[in-house]
Amino acid sequence: MMHLVNALTNKGYERGRTLFGAPYDFRYAPGPHASAVARNYLTDLKGLIEQAYTANDNQPVVLLSHSMGALWSLYFLNNQQMEWRQKFVAHFVTIAAPWGGTVEQMMTFASGNSVGVPFVDPLVVRKEQRSSESNLWLLPVSWVFGKHRPLVISSSGRSYTAADMKDFLHDITTPAGFAATTAAADLHQSCNHLVTAYESRVPHLTEKTSLRAPRVPVTLIYGHGVPTAEMLSYEEKSSSRSSSKLGFDCVPKIVQGDGDGTVNLCSLTAVIQEWGGTPGQILEVIALSNKSHRKILLDKESLEVIVNVILNTTTTTTTTTTTTAAPPPPTTTAAAAATTTPQQQDSVLMQS
């Protein structure tokens, strides 16, 4: 986000006056059973937006969110009164949002994910990654990935679709699902917690109705054309030990598909048709070729696109960001694929 912040300050945004950050604790997720940390964050976010609005001559803000930040922001917006949204939010800009989850997240739960950090054994970080509620939120959902498409194949040959998530979470930590270790009992106990947490906290966040259009102007930006995990196979490992003994305690064979290297294309675009057909919803969609999930916030071309969206969204709006930093640019009245000349600088609130 630093590159985007710098790009915005170069256009006149000022940190703490027209440009704000709204970082969240990625270990938690919102919802009816949310922890105090998540509930307090949403309260603080609302207060920050209202503060930015007041401090900038009552101009509505631009809410800019990257990745999971977009899920947080959408949840937040859809839980506010329409009158409040229309008063305080001029434009919602989403970047690389995983609307329907990712196949990569199944690898995080099954065998851990070092996220590209060198010399880190994924198995070492797996237990911690399984403890984050928000990671459950990012598992693939069936209304996006389908109920019959295999996403993971186990060493025993069992395939798991997006509709088999409870079975998947159970099996990855059963004795047959991982190598025998002294931590087996702890892992099996964590499995019961995973299934319970998934059943009680995730469905209301990932149902199609939960991702309804926010009814404020939206610009949806995503990258594509980057190899992205589409299916994970824990079969046929070329190891001296049999794959059945390794279970999920190994790096899977990855079948690649399209996306941004982290989020699958079907997930990045999951809400477009629904939102585009929602009466009164203004929607602009920008697809950037060969831009990865992280590169989209670093690449000069991508940054120029994002900054222009913010600058052109304004006529009198304050910008606030959630889940990915967003600078305080001029207010814009966003219309699908249409732009207006900035009249005044809006505040931007960024989240990532």
Side-chain angles (χ1 to χ4, degrees):
M1 293 301 288
M2 182 55 66
H3 292 76
L4 180 53
V5 169
N6 291 338
L8 286 168
T9 54
N10 288 339
K11 294 295 184 179
Y13 285 97
E14 297 179 33
R15 300 183 192 186
R17 192 182 74 81
T18 53
L19 182 59
F20 303 84
Y24 58 92
D25 191 327
F26 66 89
R27 296 171 298 177
Y28 300 95
H33 307 292
S35 67
V37 173
R39 294 196 305 271
N40 291 340
Y41 173 76
L42 294 172
T43 299
D44 292 344
L45 176 59
K46 184 174 184 177
L48 181 58
I49 291 174
E50 292 176 351
Q51 174 191 328
Y53 171 90
T54 303
N56 289 274
D57 299 325
N58 295 341
Q59 293 186 64
V61 310
V62 174
L63 185 60
L64 183 144
S65 304
H66 173 255
S67 194
M68 190 194 294
L71 300 182
W72 272 96
S73 294
L74 180 62
Y75 179 88
F76 167 78
L77 288 172
N78 281 338
N79 279 277
Q80 306 306 314
Q81 294 293 327
M82 183 59 66
E83 181 181 359
W84 187 94
R85 289 181 240 174
Q86 294 175 344
K87 177 179 179 179
F88 291 102
V89 180
H91 198 179
F92 179 30
V93 181
T94 74
I95 305 170
W99 304 114
T102 76
V103 172
E104 182 180 85
Q105 199 63 17
M106 296 183 78
M107 181 172 70
T108 298
F109 279 96
S111 50
N113 189 345
S114 62
V115 200
V117 179
F119 311 117
V120 173
D121 183 347
L123 294 177
V124 172
V125 296
R126 177 176 63 180
K127 183 176 180 180
E128 180 182 356
Q129 290 173 328
R130 287 177 175 177
S131 71
S132 297
E133 295 174 357
S134 56
N135 282 339
L136 291 169
W137 195 4
L138 295 178
L139 287 168
V141 296
S142 60
W143 66 268
V144 174
F145 287 84
K147 296 183 178 180
H148 306 292
R149 171 181 160 192
L151 303 179
V152 172
I153 300 177
S154 71
S155 57
S156 65
R158 163 76 195 267
S159 62
Y160 300 89
T161 72
D164 301 319
M165 214 51 65
K166 286 186 286 186
D167 286 347
F168 169 74
L169 291 172
H170 176 272
D171 293 350
I172 58 175
T173 51
T174 57
F178 56 83
T181 68
T182 55
D186 289 341
L187 284 172
H188 191 49
Q189 183 178 5
S190 72
C191 138
N192 295 327
H193 168 71
L194 281 179
V195 175
T196 300
Y198 183 81
E199 289 181 314
S200 63
R201 302 196 178 197
V202 173
H204 70 278
L205 294 173
T206 58
E207 292 171 351
K208 198 169 184 179
T209 53
S210 300
L211 295 177
R212 63 189 181 278
R215 303 296 293 274
V216 297
V218 173
T219 295
L220 189 153
I221 304 172
Y222 68 92
H224 65 96
V226 181
T228 305
E230 189 129 314
M231 188 179 76
L232 312 171
S233 175
Y234 289 86
E235 290 185 306
E236 304 173 6
K237 303 303 295 183
S238 55
S239 169
S240 56
R241 294 186 291 173
S242 72
S243 59
S244 61
K245 290 182 179 179
L246 285 172
F248 291 101
D249 285 359
C250 57
V251 177
K253 176 182 177 182
I254 300 176
V255 176
Q256 305 282 9
D258 197 1
D260 67 6
T262 298
V263 185
N264 306 87
L265 184 61
C266 62
S267 180
L268 291 164
T269 60
V271 299
I272 293 176
Q273 184 174 359
E274 180 80 17
W275 290 11
T278 299
Q281 177 61 60
I282 296 172
L283 176 65
E284 176 185 13
V285 177
I286 300 176
L288 302 176
S289 180
N290 301 316
K291 305 300 181 188
S292 71
H293 197 70
R294 294 177 179 81
K295 183 181 178 182
I296 202 167
L297 291 177
L298 306 172
D299 178 79
K300 182 178 180 180
E301 180 184 10
S302 302
L303 291 175
E304 184 176 348
V305 169
I306 296 169
V307 170
N308 283 339
V309 165
I310 294 172
L311 295 177
N312 289 333
T313 293
T314 229
T315 338
T316 352
T317 7
T318 318
T319 307
T320 306
T321 62
T322 47
T323 3
T324 317
T331 55
T332 304
T333 306
T339 58
T340 57
T341 304
Q343 303 295 318
Q344 184 175 350
Q345 196 180 54
D346 301 332
S347 59
V348 175
L349 195 153
M350 300 169 66
Q351 204 176 41
S352 182

